[in-house]
Amino acid sequence: MAYGMHMELLERELFLAELRGLLDQASDGDGWLAMLGGEAGVGKTSLTRQLAHEVDSSARVLVGACDALSTPRPLGPIEDIASSASENLAQLLRGNARRDEIFRAVLTELSLGPEPTLLIIEDVHWADEATLDLMRFLGRRIGGTRSLVLATYREDEVGSTHPLRIVLGDLATASNVRRMSLPPLSERAVRTLVGVRDLDVGALYNRTGGNPFYVTEVLATEVNGIPPTVRDAVLTRAARLSEPARRALAAAAVMGSPMEPRILPEVADVDTVAIEECLASGMLRADGESLAFRHELAREAILATISPPRRRELHSLVLARLRALPQSDKDVAVLAHHADAAGDRDAVLEYAPAAARDAAALRANREAAAQYVRALRFAKGLPDEQRLALLEAYAEVSDLSGQGAPGIGPRNEMIVLARAIGDRAKEAEHLSWLALSLSTAWRTTDAERAMEEALAILADIPEGLAHARVYSILAELRMMHRDLVPAVAWGERAVDLAERFGDDLTLAQALNSLGGARLVGDDVERGRADLERCLDIARQVGDEGLEAGALADLGSGLSEVYRFAEADRYLCAAITYANEHDLGLLDFWRHWAVAWLALTRLFQGRWDDAAEHAVFVLRFGTEAADTSETPAPGVVPTSFQNPSYVKIPALIGLGRIRARRGDPQVAPILNEALALSPPSGPFQFLGSLRAARAEAAWLIGDRHQTAVEARAAYDVVVRQGLRWQAGELAYWLWRAGELTEPPATVAEPFALQIRGDWAGAAAAWDVLSCPYEAARARAESSDETALRLAWATFDGLGARPELAAVTQRLRELGARHLPRGPRKSTRANASHLTAREMEVLFLIEEGRSNAEAAKQLYLSPKTIEHHVSSILAKLSVSSRQGALAEARARGLLPQS
Amino acid sequence: MARYLVERSFPDGLGIPVGDEGAAACLGVVNRNGDNGVTWVHSYVTDDKMKTYCIYDGPSPEAIRKAAEQNSLPVDKITKVSVLDPYFYR
């Protein structure tokens, strides 16, 4: 397996053919992104190299790779291709241009002609956050380029919580993205490789699983017997090299990728002969100007044999040599890595913060946070101010307060340091951030105490921005527990102070808290105005997270007060925004908005859509909440408390849909939502979760449980003045026979129903466009027309339990021509008549005019005309009589 | 993954043509099911062909419904079931 020899790849022709085909299409102006997955050692790199070799004369080939470093270089693969790409891209990278400029330059690069471009990006499972965002960016726009971007990744390393998983999910719905999975070799292929050698092919195949790297390592060692692991195979091969060559290998293993070949001889204390020997043996290969191991698995195997002290020594040597290189060739991320591994405190403190700033500039926040964590590990003995500055920088890039428990340790440290340097304003601010972290970890009592301490300090210092910030957080805390009156009060004070002291970001955050509190308190106009103002500021200052958050908060807030049409618009805007900005840090907002969209569409009767949204959010695994108080080093910061919190609205939505449909597996879903909720105390979803559980209990006929669930939240929600949630809970208590009078603070439609005015309630629900609730109100009557209308609606929605109840009621009333079961819904589905259209059809059958139908359904005559036209079109008839005849023929209406 | 019993009603009576056309129709159903992670195990049909009871393996009721919609098949009721075999207990 000497390098440079053109290998005939076994069983890869189909893949190569497919990729060549994609490149041909790219040549015609139809670009593609191919994601090539496979286990380590399965030959992804061999395939890409073979492809590059084959198309070399007809395409421009650019190759970049992601580093196997704990803190990979931000946009490392793009750095790799810079020298082969056009001058513009290289300049932008050198000149620290803004991220979106670089992204666009890459896109331009991929559209150059006349030949198509093949851009290979290897090992994207190690990609830094900026590169992942680039993949999202490219994935959506690749079709317009003249390129094939081929990204490889280790499938087995991309679990459900891996950042690449979300990117792959995104790309799944993009056009011009192809996913391919490279399988191991078959036994026949292994047999071919073994050739005439004296080896038990079956045993080799079983041991290696057909993994090409493993197989070829074994074959290269030329020993009898099969080494038990891939590692052993590699080491056996290495053992045959001379001692200098083995030193070179060890040094190369420590250097890792990207490897700087100039310094290898010095670090290993060998001459070039030894390195040639490594190349000749195939353990190292030349990669353009640089060197690399034949495979990362080989490097890992060698690395494992180096003792820790020797490793530190080598890292030290590498660091020294890298530092001696000219400035332009230095990469602070790589230097920080070696400094850390060498245990060189001064070097770490020199390079890690610089690397962090570089990464942050490119929005590779994960990597920035990891660099700060690295610096902090070596920060003992630093003056307090510097230490505090590092911690604050870390907090900023990792959204520490949103993380809950892992934010507590660092924040406590910041408080101690602020106190030590006598900065009272900072002390108060950090205390309030701590309160937020404690609150999101559901340690409410501790949070209150921290906040009280912060307020006590503020009382002693002249009013300033610190006050504005702390009050803003206090408003947020109150909001989280739906303590709305104080939330609004503190929010108003925060806004006032932020305006007075002229700080835009603080003002925006204060408006966010205030607006949110007003919205869910049903002060819709003012709440919306506040949030719109927050949105404006966010746009002005260019804060994407704040903008996405404001849109999502507008959506969720409006949804909570049953303004579903408007909520839908804002939520869609938030999702579109997050999609268009290709920022990993917006993923949280996207999932949050989609989860809320599920709830919103549930109430709008769009159950298929709602279910799909819920399933989307639930599909991405979220790790169990990190309850440790210090973040694990290099941890992936995920925004927002318990990262599973975002699942709660999705679970409520899906649970309600299943319950209303009469589908199985309702309890597991709603129980999971309960398990994810804070163990005690009011919180955002207390009311709606208990209402969902009450409804589920009702629909399976468990009256007692309905009351139990409703009681669990009723008093709190009434006291908090949450009219809609209180309304629904009161409704369930009423149906369960435990309530006769609605309390004062209850939303109108529910109040009407409890007082027995089903018609008024139905009308109110119609205005809100809640077909299920409207039908449910009508179903409480004894009026045959209303019951038939309800029947039609339930039938159209597929609400089996309610449908059965209404059918029963109609029978009890002695109604004739009773619909005989699900027949109509299936036929209606086939004719694609909506529930509303079915209602209109019923009324036409009863001989009502458009005006009469309009009155009955609380619609305008114009809308009725609209529906009639739609019915005629769907049934392919030209008159109302024709519609009736056709509907009877199709079984939508009973034969008269 | 779970096993589901899906009840369907066909007011006109279910008609699956015999021969190649029928086979193609069934295989079309199988392929679309695959897209949703749903496997059609088998079905029981009443003599008047107005009702079927279908056994499916799938990840969720929603996947069953999505596959049904793509195949233009009605869904009356979905029940989660487990297999019980007379020879299960020996």
Side-chain angles (χ1 to χ4, degrees):
Chain A
M1 295 293 139
Y3 90 100
M5 186 165 77
H6 168 64
M7 272 191 339
E8 175 86 26
L9 291 180
L10 293 166
E11 298 178 342
R12 298 301 187 230
E13 185 46 41
L14 278 175
F15 290 94
L16 285 166
E18 190 171 350
L19 290 167
R20 281 194 303 264
L22 293 178
L23 191 59
D24 282 339
Q25 288 189 50
S27 181
D28 290 334
D30 192 24
W32 279 86
L33 167 61
M35 306 290 298
L36 179 66
E39 69 189 38
V42 85
K44 300 182 288 297
T45 302
S46 301
L47 186 76
T48 61
R49 272 160 218 287
Q50 177 65 11
L51 181 69
H53 173 86
E54 285 179 12
V55 304
D56 192 43
S57 52
S58 54
R60 183 170 71 129
V61 180
L62 301 169
V63 182
C66 299
D67 312 324
L69 294 175
S70 56
T71 49
R73 299 167 295 155
L75 289 181
I78 303 303
E79 302 258 354
D80 287 344
I81 68 169
S83 48
S84 329
S86 39
E87 184 56 25
N88 181 40
L89 182 59
Q91 245 179 12
L92 286 175
L93 285 170
R94 274 200 299 273
N96 290 320
R98 270 186 23 239
R99 196 174 93 149
D100 49 311
E101 282 178 2
I102 298 176
F103 279 19
R104 266 175 288 147
V106 172
L107 197 64
T108 309
E109 197 67 31
L110 297 175
S111 309
L112 296 176
E115 351 166 83
T117 302
L118 171 62
L119 168 60
I120 297 172
I121 306 179
E122 302 206 335
D123 296 321
V124 295
H125 54 282
W126 286 322
D128 61 284
E129 202 174 344
T131 300
L132 285 176
D133 287 344
L134 175 65
M135 304 216 55
R136 267 186 243 246
F137 176 86
L138 289 178
R140 257 186 278 282
R141 297 162 177 82
I142 198 76
T145 66
R146 305 190 64 234
S147 68
L148 168 62
V149 176
L150 174 54
T152 70
Y153 64 100
R154 286 191 193 175
E155 270 169 344
D156 41 340
E157 288 192 26
V158 179
S160 64
T161 59
H162 194 285
L164 181 61
R165 172 55 57 101
I166 297 189
V167 175
L168 288 171
D170 274 355
L171 295 176
T173 51
S175 52
N176 289 46
V177 175
R178 185 68 58 83
R179 257 176 97 161
M180 300 160 70
S181 180
L182 211 56
L185 297 173
S186 68
E187 188 167 349
R188 191 153 44 121
V190 173
R191 189 178 301 276
T192 309
L193 283 175
V194 169
V196 298
R197 266 171 283 221
D198 181 23
L199 264 181
D200 182 346
V201 174
L204 178 62
Y205 178 72
N206 282 335
R207 172 68 65 183
T208 61
N211 182 293
F213 175 73
Y214 196 168
V215 170
T216 49
E217 275 306 295
V218 172
L219 294 176
T221 59
E222 296 172 12
V223 292
N224 288 332
I226 303 165
T229 67
V230 113
R231 203 158 266 205
D232 293 317
V234 169
L235 295 177
T236 313
R237 185 135 84 115
R240 298 172 57 232
L241 295 171
S242 70
E243 208 261 321
R246 271 182 281 131
R247 276 211 308 280
L249 272 190
V254 161
M255 283 176 69
S257 70
M259 206 190 308
E260 182 49 75
R262 287 174 282 177
I263 68 173
L264 183 56
E266 285 177 72
V267 171
D269 191 23
V270 297
D271 58 22
T272 52
V273 171
I275 298 176
E276 291 294 326
E277 192 188 329
C278 292
L279 286 168
S281 76
M283 297 236 43
L284 291 181
R285 56 177 171 75
D287 195 5
E289 292 287 313
S290 122
L291 290 170
F293 269 84
R294 182 167 100 78
H295 197 285
E296 187 58 25
L297 289 174
R299 184 182 85 89
E300 288 163 14
I302 303 288
L303 200 58
T305 64
I306 309 172
S307 71
R310 176 70 185 142
R311 235 185 281 183
R312 266 197 299 281
E313 199 179 15
L314 284 169
H315 277 293
S316 251
L317 286 166
V318 172
L319 178 65
R321 294 286 128 230
L322 286 176
R323 284 169 108 163
L325 290 176
Q327 189 59 37
S328 58
D329 293 342
K330 284 199 234 192
D331 193 302
V332 282
V334 175
L335 286 165
H337 165 78
H338 288 293
D340 187 354
D344 186 332
R345 180 179 180 273
D346 290 335
V348 168
L349 290 174
E350 184 184 340
Y351 294 118
R357 284 190 294 274
D358 275 358
L362 289 173
R363 309 302 194 80
N365 286 4
R366 223 187 303 275
E367 283 69 39
Q371 293 286 10
Y372 280 126
V373 167
R374 169 178 282 157
L376 284 165
R377 263 191 290 125
F378 288 85
K380 278 194 184 26
L382 269 187
D384 287 342
E385 268 109 347
Q386 284 186 40
R387 194 109 185 267
L388 183 57
L390 274 178
L391 279 163
E392 286 175 341
Y394 167 66
E396 206 180 302
V397 295
S398 62
D399 185 24
L400 201 65
S401 309
Q403 285 182 53
I408 293 171
R411 196 63 76 175
N412 271 323
E413 222 189 311
M414 287 185 250
I415 293 167
V416 166
L417 288 168
R419 202 172 290 153
I421 64 174
D423 190 337
R424 304 227 75 200
K426 262 198 202 235
E427 193 186 341
E429 276 185 58
H430 284 304
L431 274 162
S432 72
W433 287 118
L434 175 67
L436 196 57
S437 284
L438 287 163
S439 209
T440 56
W442 292 327
R443 287 169 53 179
T444 323
T445 332
D446 293 335
E448 286 303 311
R449 220 176 321 140
M451 189 46 93
E452 269 164 34
E453 226 184 301
L455 290 170
I457 295 175
L458 288 180
D460 277 347
I461 58 178
E463 252 187 356
L465 266 180
H467 292 71
R469 293 194 183 118
V470 172
Y471 296 164
S472 179
I473 290 176
L474 185 45
E476 182 70 32
L477 287 178
R478 295 289 171 256
M479 240 283 273
M480 278 165 65
H481 297 279
R482 290 295 181 270
D483 224 343
L484 296 177
V485 171
V488 169
W490 286 110
E492 284 174 335
R493 283 183 75 178
V495 168
D496 179 59
L497 284 169
E499 280 173 334
R500 238 198 292 157
F501 291 101
D503 184 276
D504 273 340
L505 203 52
T506 308
L507 176 59
Q509 281 157 353
L511 284 167
N512 198 307
S513 307
L514 176 59
R518 280 184 169 149
L519 253 192
V520 306
D522 232 343
D523 185 358
V524 175
E525 292 324 308
R526 284 206 292 177
R528 197 216 306 258
D530 292 330
L531 282 167
E532 288 277 2
R533 222 178 129 202
C534 168
L535 203 53
D536 282 335
I537 298 175
R539 284 177 184 143
Q540 264 169 46
V541 304
D543 188 329
E544 289 99 343
L546 197 54
E547 190 172 343
L551 285 168
D553 285 342
L554 273 158
S556 67
L558 286 163
S559 187
E560 266 190 67
V561 294
Y562 282 57
R563 306 263 206 142
F564 296 121
E566 298 165 84
D568 202 295
R569 279 199 295 273
Y570 279 113
L571 292 171
C572 288
I575 295 164
T576 308
Y577 183 80
N579 279 338
E580 282 172 359
H581 282 256
D582 307 304
L583 270 173
L585 59 92
L586 295 183
D587 277 339
F588 168 76
W589 290 117
R590 183 151 48 101
H591 290 169
W592 182 244
V594 173
W596 268 100
L597 198 58
L599 269 180
T600 306
R601 291 188 170 169
L602 154 75
F603 285 109
Q604 291 177 299
R606 297 170 60 175
W607 290 358
D608 285 334
D609 286 344
E612 203 160 318
H613 300 320
V615 166
F616 172 82
V617 173
L618 296 172
R619 199 191 325 144
F620 293 109
T622 43
E623 61 259 39
D626 185 354
T627 50
S628 67
E629 289 194 3
T630 41
V635 77
V636 174
T638 52
S639 192
F640 215 92
Q641 42 223 67
N642 186 340
S644 298
Y645 192 76
V646 77
K647 285 166 110 175
I648 298 180
L651 289 164
I652 294 176
L654 189 60
R656 285 188 113 140
I657 291 170
R658 285 186 182 172
R660 291 180 176 193
R661 279 177 166 162
D663 273 351
Q665 296 166 285
V666 174
I669 293 286
L670 292 177
N671 286 342
E672 195 186 338
L674 197 58
L676 292 172
S677 307
S680 65
F683 77 111
Q684 182 176 12
F685 294 109
L686 176 65
S688 72
L689 176 55
R690 288 297 180 182
R693 291 172 65 88
E695 176 171 40
W698 180 260
L699 289 171
I700 59 169
D702 191 343
R703 229 175 135 105
H704 171 74
Q705 189 62 22
T706 305
V708 165
E709 294 290 347
R711 280 255 163 256
Y714 182 66
D715 290 328
V716 171
V717 157
V718 167
R719 195 182 359 109
Q720 291 185 321
L722 301 168
R723 301 188 313 120
W724 291 94
Q725 283 145 54
E728 190 176 356
L729 292 172
Y731 172 75
W732 290 118
L733 283 173
W734 170 68
R735 295 212 70 178
E738 291 197 13
L739 192 117
T740 45
E741 264 296 308
T745 57
V746 150
E748 187 71 345
F750 289 116
L752 288 170
Q753 272 177 276
I754 296 172
R755 286 195 216 112
D757 182 1
W758 61 265
W765 286 122
D766 280 335
V767 165
L768 291 169
S769 294
C770 295
Y772 184 87
E773 281 72 14
R776 198 167 59 190
R778 293 197 170 94
E780 285 156 23
S781 73
S782 305
D783 179 299
E784 193 180 317
T785 311
L787 285 169
R788 280 185 182 276
L789 266 174
W791 193 97
T793 305
F794 288 139
D795 189 44
L797 289 169
R800 221 168 32 82
E802 281 287 356
L803 190 64
V806 170
T807 309
Q808 180 65 16
R809 228 162 134 65
L810 279 168
R811 289 216 178 92
E812 281 165 6
L813 289 179
R816 16 130 232 139
H817 289 319
L818 267 190
R820 207 161 284 279
R823 206 177 29 146
K824 290 214 179 92
S825 65
T826 67
R827 273 3 225 351
N829 280 342
S831 311
H832 300 295
L833 290 179
T834 65
R836 185 61 97 191
E837 285 161 358
M838 282 301 298
E839 287 175 333
V840 171
L841 195 59
F842 259 99
L843 292 171
I844 294 177
E845 191 200 16
E846 289 192 356
R848 308 296 182 99
S849 69
N850 277 5
E852 286 167 329
K855 265 181 85 181
Q856 182 80 15
L857 292 174
Y858 299 95
L859 297 170
S860 73
K862 196 95 197 181
T863 311
I864 299 290
E865 273 174 46
H866 213 4
H867 286 311
V868 171
S869 307
S870 178
I871 293 169
L872 297 184
K874 288 181 181 177
L875 297 178
S876 305
V877 295
S878 52
S879 70
R880 293 154 72 99
Q881 286 313 309
L884 291 178
E886 180 63 26
R888 288 193 193 105
R890 294 191 189 194
L892 292 164
L893 294 172
Q895 306 286 347
S896 53
Chain B
M1 265 322 231
R3 180 149 286 196
Y4 296 99
L5 171 69
V6 184
E7 294 172 49
R8 312 186 196 277
S9 297
F10 298 90
D12 283 343
L14 175 64
I16 297 184
V18 176
D20 289 344
E21 211 190 315
C26 288
L27 289 178
V29 166
V30 170
N31 285 336
R32 270 165 245 124
N33 287 341
D35 292 341
N36 292 298
V38 162
T39 306
W40 173 28
V41 181
H42 60 233
S43 294
Y44 302 91
V45 188
T46 56
D47 284 344
D48 59 11
K49 298 203 174 40
M50 303 252 294
K51 204 156 153 86
T52 65
Y53 301 85
C54 309
I55 306 294
Y56 275 82
D57 283 340
S60 66
E62 291 74 41
I64 301 283
R65 284 180 182 279
K66 198 150 179 216
E69 195 190 300
Q70 285 168 358
N71 286 317
S72 299
L73 289 170
V75 173
D76 294 349
K77 183 174 175 181
I78 303 176
T79 314
K80 184 170 178 295
V81 294
S82 308
V83 179
L84 179 62
D85 192 284
Y87 302 102
F88 186 67
Y89 302 98
R90 273 201 190 275

